[in-house]
Amino acid sequence: MNRVQIKICGVTNLADTKVCVDLGADMIGLNFYPRSPRYVEPHRVREIVEAIPRGVRAVGVFVDTTADEVRTLAKTAGIGCVQLHGDLSSETCRDLAREFRVIRALCTGAKFHPEDVSAFSDCDVLLDAPHPELRGGTGLTCDWPAARATRPFARFLILSGGLNAQNVPDAIAAVSPHAVDVCSGVETAAGVKDLRAIEKFIAATRAAERLLANHSA
């Protein structure tokens, strides 16, 4: 099994970003959704992005945003990777993928079909748990069997939804994702990161990765 990448989402300040990077995070998620308690102003995002070293990806998280708004905000903030939630067509995602690395976020609800992600062949795919009102950061667990079935149809699969240090080993074993995404599972409150919990999450991910590698050897 290849190395599982780790995305810490909902980071709201530079100090937490630096700790996440030092602990080994591969991606830092920065929220552009004004209704979220984890929202960060675009000019503050740029300050964070400029401090992130090469090799660590800053990801701008957008919800129900038009393509033009994504372009404007991402360029203002210096973001090269965008995570898109909401009702966006595959054509819009394909168009944005010409300028950015695109992560298309989808929920494993009753209407979800793994093969549907084939429409987003130009994008990475993030799978999260459905919620009637919230878009991510809910603490609800994704449908792992559905996520596993999605893997053959996704160029790069990111597993999200209710992950924490305790369940991420089982999630990796069940789904074999390319990356895992954690938000509320490493917080003391929405937008307030628990740095010890982040350390435990990253350590648990790496231990699970080694275990699977040993079993497949």
Side-chain angles (χ1 to χ4, degrees):
M1 179 179 178
N2 293 327
R3 181 177 181 276
V4 179
Q5 293 190 26
I6 298 171
K7 178 171 173 280
I8 310 296
C9 203
V11 178
T12 59
N13 59 73
L14 183 56
D16 285 356
T17 299
K18 289 180 176 178
V19 172
C20 291
V21 170
D22 290 343
L23 290 173
D26 301 284
M27 292 178 270
I28 304 295
L30 302 157
N31 202 311
F32 284 79
Y33 184 42
R35 292 172 57 187
S36 171
R38 303 174 181 93
Y39 172 70
V40 185
E41 293 280 355
H43 72 279
R44 296 302 301 272
V45 172
R46 177 170 279 279
E47 294 175 5
I48 294 171
V49 170
E50 290 176 348
I52 294 176
R54 187 183 299 274
V56 177
R57 185 177 302 122
V59 180
V61 179
F62 297 87
V63 177
D64 293 327
T65 312
T66 68
D68 286 342
E69 289 173 323
V70 169
R71 288 188 182 94
T72 299
L73 289 170
K75 290 177 180 178
T76 297
I79 291 283
C81 179
V82 297
Q83 179 175 312
L84 307 177
H85 295 250
D87 298 324
L88 291 167
S89 69
S90 58
E91 289 79 11
T92 297
C93 293
R94 188 178 304 114
D95 184 41
L96 286 169
R98 296 188 179 98
E99 301 172 60
F100 307 97
R101 180 159 184 167
V102 174
I103 300 171
R104 181 64 170 108
L106 301 168
C107 293
T108 56
K111 296 181 179 180
F112 176 77
H113 302 287
E115 61 272 18
D116 291 346
V117 307
S118 298
F120 301 99
S121 59
D122 297 318
C123 308
D124 300 343
V125 172
L126 180 144
L127 293 183
D128 201 351
H131 190 281
E133 298 175 0
L134 303 177
R135 301 297 181 92
T138 66
L140 300 176
T141 304
C142 177
D143 182 337
W144 292 351
R148 176 73 183 204
T150 301
R151 199 179 187 284
F153 301 101
R155 73 174 189 185
F156 189 89
L157 180 66
I158 305 171
L159 181 66
S160 186
L163 296 181
N164 52 53
Q166 288 69 47
N167 66 13
V168 73
D170 291 337
I172 290 172
V175 179
S176 189
H178 298 100
V180 289
D181 175 292
V182 66
C183 185
S184 62
V186 292
E187 291 181 331
T188 56
V192 181
K193 293 301 186 229
D194 181 336
L195 303 183
R196 178 60 178 153
I198 292 172
E199 183 177 18
K200 289 180 178 179
F201 182 86
I202 292 176
T205 300
R206 295 290 165 244
E209 178 185 275
R210 289 192 297 270
L211 184 62
L212 281 183
N214 289 337
H215 283 174
S216 61

